[in-house]
Amino acid sequence: MHYRLITALFLIGAALLTAVPAQATRIKDLANIEGVRENQLMGYGLVIGLSGTGDDITKSVFTRQAIINMTKRMGVALTTDVYRQMKTKNIATVMVTAQLPPFARPGSAIDIQVSSLGDATSLSGGTLLMTPLKGPDGSTYAVAQGPLAVGGISFGGKAAKAQKNFTTSGRVSGGGIVERAVDYALPPAGDVVYQLRETDFTTAVRMVDAINRRFGAGTAKPVDSGTVKVAKPKHFPGDMVTFIADLEGIDVAPDGPAKIVVNERTGTIVMGQDVRIATVAVSHGNLNLVITETAQVSQPNPLAQGTTTQTPATNVKMTEETGNLVVLPMGVNLGDIARALNAIGATPRDLIAIFQAIKAAGALQGELVIL
């Protein structure tokens, strides 16, 4: 019994000694290797097989021209009068976008996003025709084709309509085939440059210290607040891919500036844990102003020559709630700020005004970002 107890205590102690800090994050979640990134692709195509929910080709000129070009490439050459008489609504012009992942090779499948370009009401049930996807340099890197998966429904008539989510965009999983790879290869030896996703000097230094503790002094060195250069040690037994895999698993405690981000349109407030305020007093009281108008009718006497008129009557009512003065001590953390402001009944929009006033008073130790 005592042996089991001692063994359990030993294991718990060992776990506590080797435990990773709660705020630790892997390097692969903090930084990217320079040059290893996705590339954006875009194309112009046609979706067919729609049940009368496609573009109105009498109004969408580019849709009509796309149909003409497609039929000519397929060997169907019609007269101009026939093209003018077309009234099909089973086809829609779309823009096709995709992300070409790094190290993608010819023949790899990628997901594509399809979005309506004309006045189509729904792409549900449609099939994307073969569409070349080009990069910024104008070269074709992939070709997309396949049936669309639309995550919404839309039905109704002229008087009423029911819709859930959006029906003018969809995805084709694995609908793009890579035809050309982006030239990039990892260096067999030399330096690997990491770019931090959130630039910060403290995070860069901590990342360098963590790498040097793992592989030895001089392995990594900071270039600036967003760049860390790492050299593969000569004594490392594996290749560059194995070395990068080991690097990505190292835990680093990131740091960053104290920020409060508010969105006045939606009433959203996000505060970082490092936000602090100096000693300040906050008073909260709402002023409600209600203005109503009622119409009064002026009716002339019988047999009089007057006319019936309406005169508006305006009533103004103003109420003001009693303000509560709350003193926030210096150096309080995020939880204390939230509890103190909730105690005075502040709504999200009230909190935005309060934070702006605290920032204007010079008592907010952090950055206030308003979206």
Side-chain angles (χ1 to χ4, degrees):
M1 182 65 180
H2 293 288
Y3 175 77
R4 294 181 180 178
L5 179 60
I6 294 174
T7 304
L9 292 176
F10 175 78
L11 293 176
I12 293 174
L16 292 176
L17 290 175
T18 60
V20 179
Q23 298 179 354
T25 306
R26 298 175 303 177
I27 288 180
K28 69 186 304 180
D29 300 322
L30 292 176
N32 298 323
I33 299 178
E34 185 180 34
V36 180
R37 62 178 181 85
E38 293 182 338
N39 294 273
Q40 297 178 341
L41 304 178
M42 183 176 64
Y44 175 86
L46 290 172
V47 172
I48 61 173
L50 304 178
S51 180
T53 59
D55 294 340
D56 186 354
I57 62 175
T58 61
K59 299 179 181 179
S60 300
V61 181
F62 49 85
T63 304
R64 177 190 294 271
Q65 187 62 44
I67 296 175
I68 294 174
N69 296 338
M70 179 192 66
T71 54
K72 286 183 178 180
R73 287 196 303 268
M74 301 301 294
V76 181
L78 302 177
T79 61
T80 305
D81 294 336
V82 175
Y83 285 124
R84 290 178 180 176
Q85 296 176 2
M86 289 190 305
K87 295 183 179 180
T88 178
K89 292 197 67 177
N90 295 343
I91 190 170
T93 53
V94 293
M95 295 301 297
V96 184
T97 57
Q99 299 288 338
L100 182 64
F103 307 114
R105 301 300 180 186
S108 302
I110 58 176
D111 297 340
I112 60 173
Q113 179 73 33
V114 180
S115 302
S116 174
L117 186 63
D119 57 355
T121 58
S122 176
L123 299 180
S124 180
T127 301
L128 176 69
L129 294 181
M130 185 172 59
T131 304
L133 302 180
K134 300 182 179 181
D137 58 354
S139 301
T140 300
Y141 288 89
V143 176
Q145 182 172 280
L148 271 67
V150 179
I153 57 174
S154 177
F155 55 89
K158 296 182 178 179
K161 181 180 179 181
Q163 179 173 336
K164 181 179 180 181
N165 298 333
F166 294 95
T167 58
T168 53
S169 64
R171 294 181 63 87
V172 182
S173 298
I177 305 298
V178 178
E179 299 291 340
R180 180 180 179 184
V182 177
D183 295 332
Y184 182 81
L186 291 173
D191 296 337
V192 178
V193 179
Y194 275 95
Q195 295 178 337
L196 271 68
R197 297 172 186 173
E198 297 292 336
T199 59
D200 186 81
F201 285 102
T202 304
T203 304
V205 172
R206 291 178 180 176
M207 179 175 170
V208 170
D209 293 340
I211 295 175
N212 289 337
R213 284 195 302 268
R214 177 71 174 273
F215 297 101
T219 304
K221 60 180 180 180
V223 179
D224 49 41
S225 63
T227 307
V228 173
K229 186 177 293 186
V230 184
K232 178 186 174 183
K234 295 181 180 179
H235 58 79
F236 187 81
D239 54 10
M240 183 59 72
V241 175
T242 307
F243 176 62
I244 293 176
D246 289 347
L247 282 174
E248 291 181 342
I250 299 176
D251 293 307
V252 179
D255 196 12
K259 287 185 179 181
I260 298 179
V261 182
V262 298
N263 191 326
E264 291 185 319
R265 296 185 296 272
T266 61
T268 304
I269 302 175
V270 179
M271 292 187 291
Q273 64 176 357
D274 295 326
V275 175
R276 297 291 186 271
I277 63 172
T279 302
V280 65
V282 178
S283 179
H284 172 70
N286 290 331
L287 177 65
N288 298 325
L289 183 63
V290 181
I291 301 177
T292 59
E293 289 188 358
T294 58
Q296 296 182 354
V297 180
S298 177
Q299 181 70 30
N301 295 327
L303 303 179
Q305 298 298 323
T307 58
T308 301
T309 59
Q310 292 184 356
T311 57
T314 303
N315 299 322
V316 179
K317 181 181 180 181
M318 183 178 65
T319 59
E320 184 175 8
E321 297 180 1
T322 302
N324 297 320
L325 187 64
V326 176
V327 178
L328 302 178
M330 182 176 181
V332 296
N333 56 22
L334 175 62
D336 296 332
I337 295 175
R339 282 190 294 270
L341 295 178
N342 289 333
I344 62 177
T347 63
R349 298 192 182 277
D350 294 332
L351 291 176
I352 294 175
I354 291 174
F355 284 134
Q356 289 176 335
I358 294 176
K359 181 66 175 180
L364 180 62
Q365 299 172 0
E367 182 182 359
L368 181 62
V369 181
I370 301 177
L371 301 180

